[in-house]
Coordinates of all heavy atoms in Angstrom, one line a residue:
M834 N -10.3 3.4 4.9 CA -10.5 2.3 3.9 C -11.2 1.2 4.7 O -10.7 0.7 5.6 CB -9.2 1.8 3.2 CG -9.4 0.8 2.2 SD -7.8 0.3 1.6 CE -7.0 1.8 1.1
A835 N -12.4 0.8 4.2 CA -13.2 -0.2 4.9 C -12.5 -1.6 4.7 O -12.6 -2.3 5.6 CB -14.6 -0.1 4.4
E836 N -12.0 -1.8 3.6 CA -11.5 -3.2 3.4 C -10.1 -3.3 4.2 O -9.4 -2.4 4.4 CB -11.2 -3.4 1.9 CG -10.2 -2.4 1.2 CD -10.2 -2.5 -0.3 OE1 -10.0 -3.6 -0.8 OE2 -10.4 -1.5 -0.9
R837 N -9.8 -4.5 4.5 CA -8.5 -4.8 5.1 C -7.8 -5.8 4.2 O -8.0 -7.0 4.3 CB -8.7 -5.3 6.5 CG -7.4 -5.7 7.3 CD -6.7 -4.4 7.5 NE -5.5 -4.6 8.3 CZ -4.5 -3.8 8.2 NH1 -4.4 -2.7 7.5 NH2 -3.4 -4.1 8.9
L838 N -7.0 -5.3 3.4 CA -6.1 -6.1 2.5 C -4.9 -6.6 3.2 O -4.3 -6.0 4.1 CB -5.7 -5.2 1.3 CG -6.7 -4.7 0.4 CD1 -6.1 -3.7 -0.6 CD2 -7.4 -5.7 -0.3
S839 N -4.4 -7.7 2.7 CA -3.1 -8.2 3.2 C -2.0 -7.3 2.5 O -2.3 -6.6 1.6 CB -2.9 -9.6 2.7 OG -2.7 -9.7 1.3
Y840 N -0.8 -7.4 3.1 CA 0.2 -6.6 2.6 C 0.4 -6.9 1.0 O 0.6 -6.1 0.1 CB 1.5 -6.8 3.4 CG 2.8 -6.1 2.6 CD1 3.0 -4.8 2.7 CD2 3.6 -6.9 1.8 CE1 4.1 -4.3 2.1 CE2 4.6 -6.4 1.2 CZ 4.9 -5.0 1.4 OH 5.9 -4.4 0.8
E841 N 0.4 -8.3 0.7 CA 0.7 -8.7 -0.6 C -0.3 -8.2 -1.5 O 0.0 -7.8 -2.7 CB 0.8 -10.3 -0.6 CG 2.0 -10.8 0.2 CD 1.9 -10.8 1.6 OE1 0.7 -10.6 2.2 OE2 2.8 -11.1 2.4
D842 N -1.6 -8.2 -1.1 CA -2.7 -7.9 -2.0 C -2.6 -6.3 -2.3 O -2.8 -5.9 -3.4 CB -4.1 -8.2 -1.4 CG -4.4 -9.7 -1.4 OD1 -3.8 -10.4 -2.2 OD2 -5.2 -10.1 -0.7
A843 N -2.4 -5.6 -1.1 CA -2.2 -4.1 -1.3 C -1.1 -3.8 -2.2 O -1.2 -2.9 -3.2 CB -2.1 -3.4 0.0
R844 N 0.0 -4.5 -2.1 CA 1.2 -4.2 -2.9 C 0.9 -4.5 -4.3 O 1.3 -3.7 -5.3 CB 2.4 -4.9 -2.4 CG 3.7 -4.6 -3.0 CD 4.9 -5.4 -2.5 NE 6.0 -5.2 -3.3 CZ 6.3 -5.6 -4.5 NH1 5.5 -6.4 -5.1 NH2 7.5 -5.3 -5.1
A845 N 0.3 -5.6 -4.6 CA 0.0 -6.0 -6.0 C -0.9 -5.0 -6.6 O -0.8 -4.6 -7.8 CB -0.6 -7.4 -6.1
Q846 N -1.9 -4.6 -5.9 CA -2.8 -3.6 -6.4 C -2.1 -2.3 -6.7 O -2.4 -1.6 -7.7 CB -4.0 -3.4 -5.6 CG -5.0 -4.5 -5.5 CD -6.3 -4.2 -4.7 OE1 -6.7 -3.1 -4.5 NE2 -6.8 -5.2 -4.1
L847 N -1.2 -1.9 -5.8 CA -0.4 -0.6 -6.0 C 0.4 -0.7 -7.2 O 0.5 0.2 -8.0 CB 0.4 -0.4 -4.7 CG 1.3 0.9 -4.8 CD1 0.4 2.1 -4.9 CD2 2.0 1.0 -3.5
V848 N 1.0 -1.9 -7.4 CA 1.9 -2.0 -8.7 C 1.0 -1.8 -9.8 O 1.4 -1.1 -10.9 CB 2.6 -3.4 -8.6 CG1 3.1 -3.8 -10.0 CG2 3.6 -3.4 -7.6
E849 N -0.2 -2.4 -9.9 CA -1.1 -2.3 -11.0 C -1.5 -0.8 -11.3 O -1.5 -0.4 -12.3 CB -2.4 -3.1 -10.7 CG -3.3 -3.2 -11.9 CD -4.5 -3.9 -11.6 OE1 -4.3 -5.1 -11.0 OE2 -5.7 -3.6 -11.9
V850 N -1.8 -0.1 -10.1 CA -2.1 1.4 -10.2 C -1.0 2.1 -10.9 O -1.2 3.0 -11.7 CB -2.5 1.9 -8.8 CG1 -2.6 3.4 -8.9 CG2 -3.9 1.3 -8.4
V851 N 0.2 1.9 -10.4 CA 1.4 2.6 -10.9 C 1.6 2.3 -12.4 O 1.8 3.2 -13.2 CB 2.6 2.3 -10.1 CG1 3.9 2.8 -10.7 CG2 2.5 2.8 -8.7
Q852 N 1.4 1.0 -12.7 CA 1.6 0.6 -14.1 C 0.5 1.4 -15.0 O 0.9 1.9 -16.1 CB 1.5 -0.8 -14.4 CG 2.6 -1.6 -13.8 CD 2.4 -3.1 -13.8 OE1 1.3 -3.6 -13.9 NE2 3.6 -3.8 -13.7
R853 N -0.7 1.5 -14.6 CA -1.8 2.1 -15.3 C -1.4 3.6 -15.4 O -1.6 4.2 -16.5 CB -3.1 2.0 -14.7 CG -3.6 0.5 -14.8 CD -5.0 0.2 -14.3 NE -6.0 1.2 -15.0 CZ -7.2 1.3 -14.4 NH1 -7.6 0.8 -13.3 NH2 -8.0 2.2 -15.1
L854 N -1.0 4.2 -14.3 CA -0.6 5.7 -14.4 C 0.6 5.9 -15.4 O 0.6 6.9 -16.1 CB -0.2 6.1 -13.0 CG -1.5 6.5 -12.1 CD1 -1.0 6.7 -10.7 CD2 -2.3 7.6 -12.6
E855 N 1.6 5.0 -15.3 CA 2.7 5.1 -16.2 C 2.5 5.0 -17.7 O 3.0 5.6 -18.5 CB 3.9 4.3 -15.8 CG 4.6 4.6 -14.5 CD 5.6 3.6 -14.0 OE1 5.6 2.5 -14.5 OE2 6.4 4.1 -13.1
A856 N 1.4 4.1 -17.9 CA 1.0 3.7 -19.3 C 0.3 5.0 -20.0 O 0.3 5.2 -21.2 CB 0.1 2.6 -19.4
G857 N -0.3 5.8 -19.1 CA -1.1 7.0 -19.7 C -2.3 6.5 -20.3 O -2.8 5.4 -20.2
G858 N -2.9 7.4 -21.1 CA -4.1 7.2 -21.8 C -5.4 7.3 -21.1 O -6.4 6.8 -21.5
T859 N -5.3 7.8 -19.8 CA -6.4 8.0 -19.0 C -6.8 9.5 -18.9 O -6.0 10.3 -19.3 CB -6.2 7.5 -17.6 OG1 -5.0 8.2 -17.0 CG2 -5.8 6.0 -17.4
T860 N -8.0 9.8 -18.6 CA -8.5 11.0 -18.5 C -8.0 11.6 -17.2 O -7.5 10.9 -16.4 CB -10.1 11.1 -18.5 OG1 -10.5 10.4 -17.3 CG2 -10.7 10.5 -19.7
L861 N -8.1 12.9 -17.1 CA -7.6 13.4 -15.8 C -8.2 13.0 -14.6 O -7.7 12.6 -13.6 CB -7.8 15.0 -15.9 CG -7.3 15.9 -14.6 CD1 -5.9 15.6 -14.3 CD2 -7.6 17.3 -14.9
E862 N -9.6 12.8 -14.8 CA -10.4 12.2 -13.8 C -10.0 10.9 -13.3 O -9.9 10.5 -12.1 CB -11.9 12.4 -14.0 CG -12.9 12.0 -12.9 CD -12.8 13.0 -11.7 OE1 -12.6 14.2 -12.0 OE2 -12.9 12.6 -10.6
E863 N -9.8 10.0 -14.3 CA -9.3 8.7 -14.1 C -8.0 8.6 -13.4 O -7.7 7.8 -12.4 CB -9.3 7.8 -15.3 CG -10.7 7.6 -15.9 CD -10.5 7.0 -17.4 OE1 -9.5 7.4 -18.1 OE2 -11.5 6.3 -17.8
A864 N -7.0 9.5 -13.8 CA -5.8 9.6 -13.3 C -5.8 10.0 -11.8 O -5.1 9.5 -11.0 CB -4.8 10.6 -14.1
L865 N -6.6 11.0 -11.5 CA -6.7 11.4 -10.1 C -7.3 10.3 -9.3 O -6.9 10.1 -8.2 CB -7.7 12.7 -10.1 CG -7.0 13.9 -10.5 CD1 -8.1 15.1 -10.6 CD2 -5.9 14.4 -9.8
A866 N -8.3 9.6 -9.9 CA -8.8 8.4 -9.0 C -7.9 7.4 -8.7 O -7.7 6.9 -7.7 CB -10.0 7.8 -9.8
L867 N -7.0 7.1 -9.8 CA -5.9 6.2 -9.7 C -5.0 6.6 -8.6 O -4.4 5.8 -7.7 CB -5.3 5.9 -11.1 CG -6.0 5.0 -12.0 CD1 -5.3 5.0 -13.4 CD2 -6.1 3.5 -11.5
W868 N -4.5 7.9 -8.6 CA -3.6 8.4 -7.7 C -4.1 8.3 -6.3 O -3.3 7.9 -5.4 CB -3.3 9.9 -8.1 CG -2.3 10.5 -7.2 CD1 -2.6 11.1 -5.9 CD2 -0.9 10.6 -7.3 NE1 -1.3 11.5 -5.3 CE2 -0.4 11.2 -6.2 CE3 0.0 10.1 -8.3 CZ2 1.0 11.4 -6.0 CZ3 1.3 10.3 -8.2 CH2 1.9 10.9 -7.0
E869 N -5.4 8.6 -6.2 CA -6.0 8.5 -4.7 C -6.0 7.0 -4.3 O -5.7 6.8 -3.1 CB -7.3 9.1 -4.8 CG -7.5 10.6 -4.9 CD -8.8 11.1 -5.2 OE1 -9.7 10.4 -5.6 OE2 -9.0 12.4 -5.0
R870 N -6.3 6.1 -5.1 CA -6.4 4.7 -4.8 C -4.9 4.3 -4.4 O -4.6 3.6 -3.5 CB -6.9 3.8 -5.9 CG -6.9 2.4 -5.7 CD -7.7 2.0 -4.5 NE -7.8 0.6 -4.2 CZ -8.1 0.0 -3.2 NH1 -8.4 0.8 -2.2 NH2 -8.1 -1.3 -3.1
G871 N -4.0 4.7 -5.3 CA -2.5 4.5 -5.0 C -2.0 5.0 -3.6 O -1.3 4.2 -2.9
E872 N -2.5 6.1 -3.2 CA -2.1 6.7 -1.9 C -2.8 5.8 -0.8 O -2.1 5.5 0.1 CB -2.7 8.2 -1.9 CG -1.9 9.2 -2.6 CD -0.5 9.4 -2.1 OE1 -0.3 9.3 -0.9 OE2 0.3 9.6 -2.9
Q873 N -3.9 5.4 -1.0 CA -4.7 4.6 0.0 C -3.8 3.3 0.1 O -3.7 2.7 1.2 CB -6.1 4.2 -0.5 CG -7.0 5.4 -0.4 CD -8.4 5.0 -1.0 OE1 -8.5 4.1 -1.7 NE2 -9.4 5.8 -0.6
L874 N -3.5 2.7 -1.0 CA -2.8 1.4 -1.0 C -1.4 1.5 -0.4 O -1.0 0.7 0.4 CB -2.7 0.8 -2.4 CG -3.9 0.3 -2.9 CD1 -3.8 0.2 -4.5 CD2 -4.6 -0.9 -2.3
A875 N -0.8 2.6 -0.8 CA 0.6 2.9 -0.1 C 0.5 3.1 1.5 O 1.3 2.5 2.2 CB 1.2 4.1 -0.6
T876 N -0.6 3.6 1.9 CA -0.8 3.7 3.3 C -1.0 2.3 4.0 O -0.5 2.0 5.1 CB -2.1 4.6 3.7 OG1 -1.8 5.9 3.2 CG2 -2.4 4.7 5.1
V877 N -1.8 1.5 3.4 CA -2.1 0.1 3.8 C -0.7 -0.6 4.0 O -0.4 -1.2 5.0 CB -3.0 -0.7 3.0 CG1 -3.1 -2.1 3.3 CG2 -4.4 -0.1 3.0
C878 N 0.1 -0.5 2.9 CA 1.4 -1.2 2.9 C 2.3 -0.7 3.9 O 2.9 -1.5 4.8 CB 2.1 -1.0 1.6 SG 1.4 -1.9 0.2
Q879 N 2.3 0.6 4.2 CA 3.1 1.3 5.2 C 2.7 0.8 6.7 O 3.5 0.6 7.6 CB 3.1 2.8 5.2 CG 4.1 3.4 6.1 CD 5.6 3.0 5.7 OE1 6.0 3.1 4.6 NE2 6.2 2.5 6.8
E880 N 1.3 0.7 6.8 CA 0.9 0.2 8.1 C 1.3 -1.2 8.4 O 1.6 -1.5 9.5 CB -0.8 0.4 8.1 CG -1.1 1.8 8.2 CD -2.7 2.0 8.1 OE1 -3.4 0.9 7.7 OE2 -3.2 3.0 8.2
W881 N 1.2 -2.0 7.4 CA 1.7 -3.4 7.6 C 3.2 -3.4 8.0 O 3.6 -4.2 8.8 CB 1.5 -4.3 6.3 CG 0.2 -4.8 6.2 CD1 -0.9 -4.5 5.3 CD2 -0.4 -6.0 7.0 NE1 -2.0 -5.3 5.6 CE2 -1.7 -6.2 6.5 CE3 0.1 -6.7 8.1 CZ2 -2.5 -7.2 7.1 CZ3 -0.7 -7.7 8.5 CH2 -1.9 -7.9 8.1
L882 N 4.0 -2.7 7.2 CA 5.4 -2.7 7.5 C 5.8 -2.0 8.9 O 6.6 -2.7 9.6 CB 6.2 -1.7 6.4 CG 6.1 -2.4 5.0 CD1 6.7 -1.4 3.9 CD2 6.9 -3.8 5.0
D883 N 4.9 -1.0 9.2 CA 5.2 -0.5 10.5 C 4.8 -1.5 11.7 O 5.5 -1.6 12.7 CB 4.4 0.8 10.8 CG 4.8 2.0 10.0 OD1 6.0 1.9 9.4 OD2 4.1 2.9 9.7
G884 N 3.8 -2.3 11.4 CA 3.4 -3.3 12.4 C 4.4 -4.3 12.4 O 4.7 -4.8 13.6
A885 N 4.9 -4.8 11.3 CA 6.0 -5.8 11.3 C 7.1 -5.3 12.1 O 7.8 -6.1 12.8 CB 6.3 -6.2 9.9
R886 N 7.6 -4.0 11.9 CA 8.8 -3.5 12.5 C 8.6 -3.5 14.0 O 9.4 -3.9 14.9 CB 9.0 -2.1 12.0 CG 10.3 -1.5 12.7 CD 10.5 -0.1 12.2 NE 10.9 -0.2 10.7 CZ 10.2 0.4 9.8 NH1 9.1 1.0 10.0 NH2 10.7 0.4 8.5
A887 N 7.3 -3.1 14.4 CA 7.0 -3.0 15.9 C 7.1 -4.4 16.5 O 7.6 -4.7 17.6 CB 5.7 -2.4 16.1
R888 N 6.6 -5.4 15.7 CA 6.6 -6.8 16.3 C 8.0 -7.3 16.4 O 8.4 -8.0 17.4 CB 5.9 -7.7 15.4 CG 4.3 -7.5 15.4 CD 3.5 -8.4 14.5 NE 3.7 -9.8 14.8 CZ 3.3 -10.7 13.9 NH1 2.6 -10.3 12.8 NH2 3.5 -11.9 14.1
L889 N 8.8 -7.0 15.4 CA 10.3 -7.4 15.5 C 11.0 -6.8 16.7 O 11.8 -7.4 17.4 CB 10.9 -7.1 14.2 CG 10.7 -8.0 13.0 CD1 11.2 -7.4 11.7 CD2 11.1 -9.3 13.2
E890 N 10.7 -5.5 16.8 CA 11.4 -4.8 18.0 C 11.0 -5.3 19.3 O 11.8 -5.4 20.2 CB 11.1 -3.3 17.8 CG 11.9 -2.5 16.7 CD 11.4 -1.1 16.5 OE1 10.7 -0.6 17.2 OE2 12.0 -0.5 15.5
S891 N 9.6 -5.6 19.4 CA 9.2 -6.3 20.6 C 9.7 -7.6 20.9 O 10.1 -8.0 22.0 CB 7.6 -6.3 20.5 OG 7.1 -7.0 21.6
A892 N 9.8 -8.3 19.9 CA 10.5 -9.7 20.0 C 12.0 -9.6 20.4 O 12.5 -10.3 21.2 CB 10.4 -10.5 18.7
R893 N 12.7 -8.6 19.8 CA 14.0 -8.4 20.2 C 14.3 -8.0 21.7 O 15.1 -8.5 22.4 CB 14.7 -7.3 19.4 CG 15.1 -7.7 18.1 CD 15.9 -6.6 17.4 NE 16.0 -6.9 15.9 CZ 16.2 -6.0 15.1 NH1 16.4 -4.8 15.3 NH2 16.3 -6.4 13.8
S894 N 13.3 -7.1 22.1 CA 13.4 -6.7 23.5 C 13.1 -7.8 24.4 O 13.7 -7.9 25.5 CB 12.3 -5.5 23.7 OG 12.7 -4.3 22.9
S895 N 12.1 -8.6 24.0 CA 11.7 -9.8 24.9 C 12.9 -10.8 25.0 O 13.2 -11.5 26.1 CB 10.5 -10.6 24.4 OG 9.4 -9.6 24.4
A896 N 13.7 -11.0 23.9 CA 14.8 -11.9 23.8 C 15.9 -11.4 24.7 O 16.7 -12.2 25.2 CB 15.2 -12.1 22.4
E897 N 16.1 -10.1 24.9 CA 17.2 -9.6 25.7 C 16.9 -9.6 27.1 O 17.1 -9.9 28.0 CB 17.5 -8.2 25.2 CG 18.0 -8.0 23.8 CD 18.2 -6.6 23.3 OE1 17.7 -5.7 24.1 OE2 18.7 -6.4 22.2

C-alpha cells in the first residue's frame, strides 16, 4: 500500500468498510473490493500495533 495512514485513519476506514459489507446491497465485485481493502487496512492497523508493542517492550527493557 503506497499510502501511509495513521492508525486512527486506518481503523476508521476499516470500520466503514465493515459497515458497508454488513449492510449488504453490493455486487459481488464491490464486496470483493471492499474485502480486499479491509484486509489492507487491517494490516496497516496490525503494523501500528506491533510497532507500539515493540516500542513499549524496548522502553521497559531500557528502564530495567
Side-chain angles (χ1 to χ4, degrees):
M834 179 181 313
E836 62 188 307
R837 183 61 178 156
L838 297 171
S839 69
Y840 171 80
E841 293 79 8
D842 288 340
R844 186 180 177 284
Q846 287 184 32
L847 181 55
V848 168
E849 186 178 316
V850 165
V851 169
Q852 288 173 341
R853 288 182 61 193
L854 284 168
E855 287 177 343
T859 59
T860 65
L861 178 58
E862 190 63 35
E863 291 168 334
L865 287 172
L867 285 169
W868 182 270
E869 290 170 344
R870 180 64 177 156
E872 288 289 327
Q873 292 171 340
L874 293 165
T876 298
V877 171
C878 289
Q879 190 60 55
E880 288 171 354
W881 275 110
L882 293 172
D883 291 344
R886 182 178 294 116
R888 288 175 61 190
L889 287 171
E890 290 173 0
S891 175
R893 280 188 195 158
S894 295
S895 295
E897 294 174 354

